[in-house]
Structure formats: C-alpha cells, structure tokens
Amino acid sequence: MERKSQSITIADAAGFLKKNDNYYILTHMNPDGDAMGSGFGLCHSLRAMGKKANVLCSDPFPKRYGFLYEGYEPMKFTPQTIVTVDLADTGLFGRELQVYGEYVDLAIDHHISNTGYAAKLLLDANAAAACEVIYQVLKEGNMPINKQIAQCLYTGIATDSGCFRYENTTPKTHMITAEIMGYGIPYARLNRQLFEIKSKARFMVEQYVINNVETYLDNKCAIIAVTADTVKETGLAQEELEGIASIPMQLEGIEIGVTIKEKEPKKYKVSMRSAENVNVSDICGKLGGGGHMRAAGCTVEGDLSQVKLKLLSVIAPAMGFDLWLS
Amino acid sequence: MERKSQSITIADAAGFLKKNDNYYILTHMNPDGDAMGSGFGLCHSLRAMGKKANVLCSDPFPKRYGFLYEGYEPMKFTPQTIVTVDLADTGLFGRELQVYGEYVDLAIDHHISNTGYAAKLLLDANAAAACEVIYQVLKEGNMPINKQIAQCLYTGIATDSGCFRYENTTPKTHMITAEIMGYGIPYARLNRQLFEIKSKARFMVEQYVINNVETYLDNKCAIIAVTADTVKETGLAQEELEGIASIPMQLEGIEIGVTIKEKEPKKYKVSMRSAENVNVSDICGKLGGGGHMRAAGCTVEGDLSQVKLKLLSVIAPAMGFDLWLS
C-alpha cells in the first residue's frame, strides 16, 4: 500500500483526541505489553474525560496483562472515531478488525515500517514503545493520567525495551519513565510479574534446551533441534516452544543461536539469532530465507544431520572460520 | 562502633575531592557492579583531573567487570586521602584493607546502615546505587565525566537496581540514567553482558534447581535442598551455588522460596526469600535466625526430612494455613 497518511505532531494528535468522541481503539493481533498498554492507557484517559471508548483486538486480551484492564467493560455505542496504536500495517489487524482497515482516522505508532494506512499518522520511530508516544500526547493535551493509566504506559515501555536493556532505549525513554513513576505505580511488583516469573511449562522448555543444546565453531554457535519426536516425548506444546530461539543466546560466548524445528518429514524451519557481529540475514539469505541482521530465518530440507551440516557450511565462513565443507 | 561521621552535602564532597590529592579509593570485599563502578568511576575522574588515585579492594577485581578498568594500572605514590565508596561498615573492608579502617577521610555511600566510621560521610539512603551519588558529586563539582566513567556509573546503577526492576529504583534513578546515557555508552551490549549471559555452570545450577525443587502449601512454598551428596554428585562448586535462593522465586505462584544447604551432618543452613506478602524475617526469627522482611536465614538441625517439617510447621501458619503439625 502506498503511504497516504498526513503526518501530524503530538499537539495535533492531542487536539484531535480531545475534539472527537466515540472511539474504537484498535491494536495488533497477538497483543504484547505495548499493544495492551497503549490501547488501554489511551482508552482509560478518554473515558476519564467523559468520552466513550473501547479497545478492540482480533485476539483475546492476554490474562497476563489483566491488571491493565481491571474494571474495564466494553461500552455500547456507534463508533465515530477509529484510532490505532502500535499497529504498523493493516496486515496485523487480524481477521476481526480487518473491516476497519480503510477507515482509520489516526494511527499512533513507533514502527518506522508503518505503511501509512491511516488518514493521520503520529509516528515517532525513535520511541522505544508506542506507550512513549501516548504518554507525550496525554501530557501535551493535559489529558487525564492516573495510577492505572501510568501502569499501562509503564508496562508498554518496560516490555518493549526489555526492561530498559535493549538498544531502542533512549535517554528520553528514561526521562518519560521517571515522570510516569511519579504516579505511584507498584513498579517492583509489575516488574516481577513481567520479567521474573515463569510458568512451569517455560521452565521445562528451558530445561529441554539446556539439556539438548549443541555447540559448534569454538563454542560460538549453538544449535538446538526440536523434532516431531521430541515434541511428542516432552509433551511440550508448539506455543510453549515459541520463545526458544533466544535461550541458547544466554550461554556465555555464543555469537549465533540456531533453532531447528521439524515442520514435516525432512523439512525444517530454521530461526537464527545473532548476538552482535554476525549478520544472520545474509546467512539465511544464502539458504533462500531472510530477515533482520540479528534475527532471521529460512527453511532447509533433508535429514536432521544434513540440515545441521548445510547450516554450518554457511555459518562457518560468515563467522570467519575456514570453509571446512566443500 | 558509635556513629562519629560528620554528614556532608554533595557540594561539600565535590569541594573536598577537588581540593585534595593522592587518593586511595577503597571498596568492599566481594566487589559487585556498584562497588567496581563507583570505585573506578571516581578514580578515572580524579586521574582525568591530573590527580593521583588508585582503587583498592581486598579481593581481586572480577574479570566480569574488566571493561570498567581497561587500561587502568595502579600508580605509585604515598596516599594522603582515603575515600571509601559503597562501603557500609569496616567489617566489609576485608583483610587487606583493614589497616585503613581508622583513617578514612570521606565515605560516599547509599546504605542506611553505614556505621559512620569515616570522618566525613556523604550518605544518600534513597539512592539505588553508590554510583547515583558519585554521579551527582561529579556533576556538582564539574569534574570530568567521559564515556568510560559513564560506563562505570551506568554499570553500578543497572546492577544494583536489577536493571531498574527493583523497589530501590526511583524516578531520580531514571533521570540520572538518562543523563549518563548521553555520554554515548554501549548500553545494549553492557546489558547483555550484565543480565543475559550466563556461564555454563550457572545453567547447570538452574537445571539442578528446576529438576529438584519441591513445592508445598498449595504450591506457594518452594523448597530446594543441597546436601553434601548432591554437591559431590553434580560437581557444582559452593561458589556456583551462591545465587541459588532466588531461582525458585521465578516459579509462577511461589510466595516463599527456601534453600536448605547441608553445612555438616544433621546441620542445615536455611535461606528464605519472600515475594511480597510474607515476612520471612519473622519466620526465621522463630527458628533462632533473622534478617530482612524479604530475605532472611537460620540454622536448623536434624535429618533433612525433619528439617523440612520443622520449617513447614513455622511457614504454614505464617502463610495463613492451618497449623497441620502440632
């Protein structure tokens, strides 16, 4: 889709939100902490101004973020204003929300990749989270910010920045967080819930990875394979295996982490993560896949041992090792 | 020791540091990120002013924090000014530094428990880290802050605050961090080193805990036992078992985590951690130990199974369960 949005400022967005009413606030499918935080942060503030507003998502709101929508019930009204938050592309609306794709009045986002599907776009690609942008809008417009709203915004910023660990964290992220903390949120308890507590299933997945990871190339490359048999044996659900790619990256000295999952007999889906220096998008590109510099993927066919060799024959030279397979 | 220090302000401390020369900067034994960061942050700044300064510690500087003292060599000079950082009590000086206990000119600290052993004391008990205090002193005194110094200060603040997760993190912590990030430090790489990467030994310890943790009282109490036999069987060193108490706390729903370590036959050292609501200092107090509300300890004698029963008989009523042992 061609970019068609009119770019607007924080002050414009605040003015727009104060002027209009009867809001549907849409966020992306598989909502994460920032989608939930920016959606409900904005919704609670609009409702506190006496306006009508609902948050809509194609997927159910995760229970994990239940504290963000405590006491929230959808209201009945005819929508007049459609706003999206943290939503880069109509492809991420999901099935339920697709009907709104052509009618979005305002998109508030932090993804440089925003396709410009909305009439107006407030985009800050330097913001660590959509919640950083929402906070600035609420502040600029003197719109209500209470403890629950601050909790929403903190959650979005903390989760999208890896609790202030990732590259996307800026001095401004910390300044905004300092202001948000001023509303008396129980940040230590939130952080424990968001970053420390793991389900038993997650512990089991980590245990599986720790017990089964193989390292190659001077222990700089970690490979973890999940076959159809292992899924059967461990009883782990596909969903529980989602975050597996990042686990071997925690091992000291690992520069590339590779996860190989059996999709069908002799066909493996490969996810690659890079710590810093190696471009895994290049590596996966050579195998017919692609992605980003530090996270990419491809599909490789063959027996598991063949797949590993194919992968290592491309990874080794990219990491500066002599090509030991010809 | 009776408190005898003269309390001074940030401006006083800055004036003192600029006026004097030939510094020995002492920090506590078993130095952590804040000890190392505040020691070297101050040392690098004093040296950049053309002064002589060394950092002294009873234990070797951990390699893990090698980037904080890259290029640092001890200088040869006769010390004239003794400053301590992050050092609450002369009991934490360690053997090598004990001789300086009576001669400390200035202590810069953030521990409310500072015993006042120094002539002058700059204490900010609300600071998350000694590095927060050091930053304010350097800024107030217009003393040098370069990228390496900023890296030292960031490391101390990030490690002592659990990367901004813990209760001790304040809005001011975030404000100061925003300013420190302005010096262009590679914070994402630092955070990966400090918070994500684990040694293989640590992975093995976590694996041991995950495989052997027992839960009681509606799965709200986790107990992990380390006997002399398990140490032998797993080959894990005592040192590697140090941080073990916090691991069961990551399990969903756990309110109390208990670690039981065999010290000698029929004698167990018990560490207790509480998530939020239960006062483990009270519980350990009833067993002849003590500590803080969320981290306490005691020693219990008997067979391992007896020790567990003794512990549960005190923990159960404290958590609101009927006393099921009489």
Side-chain angles (χ1 to χ4, degrees):
Chain A
M1 189 192 289
E2 206 181 320
R3 182 176 289 258
K4 59 163 195 207
S5 295
Q6 174 203 356
S7 283
I8 64 167
T9 66
I10 287 171
D12 293 338
F16 177 90
L17 291 168
K18 288 160 79 173
K19 197 180 65 191
N20 291 288
D21 201 349
N22 300 313
Y23 287 94
Y24 272 10
I25 302 166
L26 319 181
T27 194
H28 61 77
M29 54 188 197
N30 296 320
D32 57 9
D34 194 30
M36 295 292 292
S38 55
F40 281 101
L42 178 58
C43 181
H44 295 323
S45 185
L46 290 169
R47 285 191 178 185
M49 293 170 78
K51 294 180 186 289
K52 294 197 176 88
N54 284 340
V55 178
L56 280 78
C57 184
S58 281
D59 292 304
F61 301 137
K63 278 190 199 146
R64 174 177 173 71
Y65 298 113
F67 59 99
L68 302 182
Y69 54 92
E70 214 174 87
Y72 167 89
E73 291 290 342
M75 301 168 86
K76 282 197 177 148
F77 60 88
T78 306
Q80 289 179 323
T81 321
I82 311 291
V83 178
T84 67
V85 291
D86 198 36
L87 228 171
D89 190 330
T90 50
L92 301 169
F93 278 46
R95 211 165 54 178
E96 309 257 321
L97 301 190
Q98 243 163 20
V99 290
Y100 301 107
E102 301 280 300
Y103 306 103
V104 178
D105 298 297
L106 169 63
I108 302 178
D109 197 8
H110 73 123
H111 294 98
I112 185 92
S113 57
N114 188 292
T115 57
Y117 57 81
K120 295 172 194 292
L121 171 63
L122 173 60
L123 174 67
D124 180 356
N126 291 317
C131 280
E132 246 189 80
V133 192
I134 298 284
Y135 173 74
Q136 292 174 80
V137 171
L138 301 188
K139 190 183 170 192
E140 172 74 27
N142 280 313
M143 292 167 65
I145 303 179
N146 57 31
K147 190 170 152 182
Q148 192 184 23
I149 294 166
Q151 223 167 248
C152 289
L153 302 176
Y154 183 91
T155 298
I157 294 172
T159 53
D160 254 26
S161 69
C163 208
F164 312 100
R165 283 184 293 127
Y166 302 156
E167 197 76 45
N168 63 358
T169 310
T170 67
K172 197 171 170 185
T173 311
H174 281 284
M175 298 285 283
I176 287 174
T177 304
E179 292 182 25
I180 289 173
M181 283 175 71
Y183 292 92
I185 54 175
Y187 54 93
R189 193 199 308 158
L190 284 184
N191 289 330
R192 196 172 125 72
Q193 281 174 25
L194 296 172
F195 302 108
E196 279 176 41
I197 295 173
K198 298 171 187 176
S199 67
K200 286 210 174 118
R202 177 68 187 182
F203 261 110
M204 282 179 61
V205 170
E206 293 192 357
Q207 187 183 343
Y208 174 78
V209 172
I210 293 163
N211 288 335
N212 291 280
V213 70
E214 296 167 3
T215 61
Y216 297 91
L217 303 171
D218 281 355
N219 296 318
K220 288 177 180 166
C221 173
I223 296 186
I224 173 83
V226 180
T227 63
D229 285 347
T230 52
V231 173
K232 257 187 241 159
E233 281 163 25
T234 58
L236 293 170
Q238 275 303 334
E239 193 191 273
E240 287 153 11
L241 292 164
E242 279 307 318
I244 204 171
S246 64
I247 301 173
M249 297 307 296
Q250 295 176 7
L251 264 170
E252 208 170 6
I254 293 296
E255 293 183 9
I256 289 194
V258 183
T259 312
I260 308 177
K261 283 184 201 162
E262 188 171 2
K263 281 292 142 187
E264 47 190 86
K266 301 211 172 197
K267 196 164 185 178
Y268 289 85
K269 192 169 168 287
V270 176
S271 303
M272 242 178 248
R273 296 282 183 280
S274 160
E276 202 162 346
N277 300 317
V278 189
N279 188 333
V280 288
S281 170
D282 280 357
I283 296 174
C284 289
K286 285 182 182 145
L287 295 160
H292 304 280
M293 193 179 149
R294 292 185 189 169
C298 57
T299 301
V300 181
E301 300 190 1
D303 285 330
L304 182 56
S305 57
Q306 287 177 310
V307 170
K308 285 183 193 169
L309 285 178
K310 273 189 198 174
L311 289 169
L312 287 168
S313 70
V314 183
I315 293 170
M319 293 181 76
F321 287 86
D322 280 341
L323 195 61
W324 46 275
L325 261 171
S326 61
Chain B
M1 188 191 291
E2 207 182 319
R3 182 176 289 257
K4 60 161 194 206
S5 295
Q6 175 204 354
S7 282
I8 64 167
T9 66
I10 287 170
D12 293 338
F16 177 90
L17 291 168
K18 286 160 80 172
K19 197 180 65 191
N20 291 288
D21 200 350
N22 299 315
Y23 287 94
Y24 272 9
I25 302 165
L26 321 181
T27 193
H28 60 78
M29 54 187 196
N30 297 321
D32 56 9
D34 194 29
M36 294 292 292
S38 55
F40 281 101
L42 178 57
C43 182
H44 296 321
S45 185
L46 291 169
R47 285 191 179 186
M49 293 169 78
K51 294 181 186 289
K52 294 197 177 87
N54 284 339
V55 178
L56 281 78
C57 184
S58 281
D59 292 305
F61 301 138
K63 280 191 199 145
R64 174 178 173 70
Y65 298 113
F67 59 99
L68 302 182
Y69 55 92
E70 213 174 270
Y72 168 89
E73 291 290 341
M75 301 169 86
K76 281 196 177 151
F77 60 87
T78 307
Q80 289 179 324
T81 322
I82 312 289
V83 178
T84 67
V85 291
D86 199 37
L87 228 172
D89 189 331
T90 50
L92 301 169
F93 277 46
R95 211 168 50 178
E96 309 258 322
L97 301 190
Q98 245 164 16
V99 289
Y100 301 106
E102 301 281 300
Y103 306 103
V104 179
D105 298 296
L106 169 63
I108 302 178
D109 197 9
H110 73 123
H111 295 99
I112 186 91
S113 56
N114 188 292
T115 57
Y117 57 82
K120 294 171 194 292
L121 171 64
L122 172 60
L123 174 67
D124 179 357
N126 290 318
C131 280
E132 245 189 80
V133 192
I134 297 284
Y135 173 74
Q136 292 174 81
V137 171
L138 300 188
K139 189 182 170 192
E140 173 74 27
N142 280 313
M143 292 168 66
I145 303 180
N146 57 31
K147 190 169 151 182
Q148 193 184 22
I149 294 165
Q151 224 166 247
C152 289
L153 302 177
Y154 184 91
T155 298
I157 294 172
T159 51
D160 254 26
S161 69
C163 207
F164 312 101
R165 282 185 294 127
Y166 301 155
E167 196 76 46
N168 64 356
T169 310
T170 67
K172 197 171 170 185
T173 310
H174 281 285
M175 298 286 283
I176 287 175
T177 303
E179 292 183 23
I180 289 173
M181 283 174 71
Y183 291 91
I185 54 176
Y187 55 92
R189 194 197 308 157
L190 284 183
N191 289 330
R192 196 173 125 73
Q193 281 173 25
L194 296 171
F195 302 108
E196 279 177 40
I197 295 173
K198 297 173 188 174
S199 67
K200 287 211 176 117
R202 177 66 187 184
F203 263 109
M204 282 180 59
V205 169
E206 293 193 358
Q207 186 183 345
Y208 174 78
V209 171
I210 293 164
N211 288 334
N212 292 281
V213 68
E214 295 168 5
T215 60
Y216 297 91
L217 304 170
D218 280 355
N219 296 317
K220 288 178 180 165
C221 173
I223 296 187
I224 174 83
V226 180
T227 63
D229 285 347
T230 52
V231 173
K232 256 188 243 161
E233 282 163 26
T234 58
L236 293 170
Q238 275 303 332
E239 193 190 274
E240 287 152 10
L241 292 164
E242 279 307 318
I244 205 171
S246 64
I247 301 174
M249 297 307 295
Q250 295 176 6
L251 264 171
E252 208 171 6
I254 294 296
E255 292 183 11
I256 288 194
V258 183
T259 312
I260 308 177
K261 283 184 201 161
E262 188 171 2
K263 283 291 142 188
E264 48 190 87
K266 301 210 173 198
K267 194 164 186 179
Y268 290 84
K269 192 169 169 287
V270 177
S271 303
M272 243 178 248
R273 296 283 181 280
S274 159
E276 201 161 349
N277 300 317
V278 188
N279 188 332
V280 288
S281 171
D282 279 358
I283 294 173
C284 290
K286 284 181 183 146
L287 294 159
H292 304 280
M293 194 180 150
R294 292 186 187 168
C298 58
T299 301
V300 182
E301 301 191 0
D303 288 328
L304 182 56
S305 57
Q306 287 177 311
V307 170
K308 286 182 194 171
L309 285 178
K310 272 189 198 173
L311 289 168
L312 287 168
S313 71
V314 184
I315 292 170
M319 293 181 75
F321 288 85
D322 279 342
L323 196 61
W324 45 274
L325 263 171
S326 61

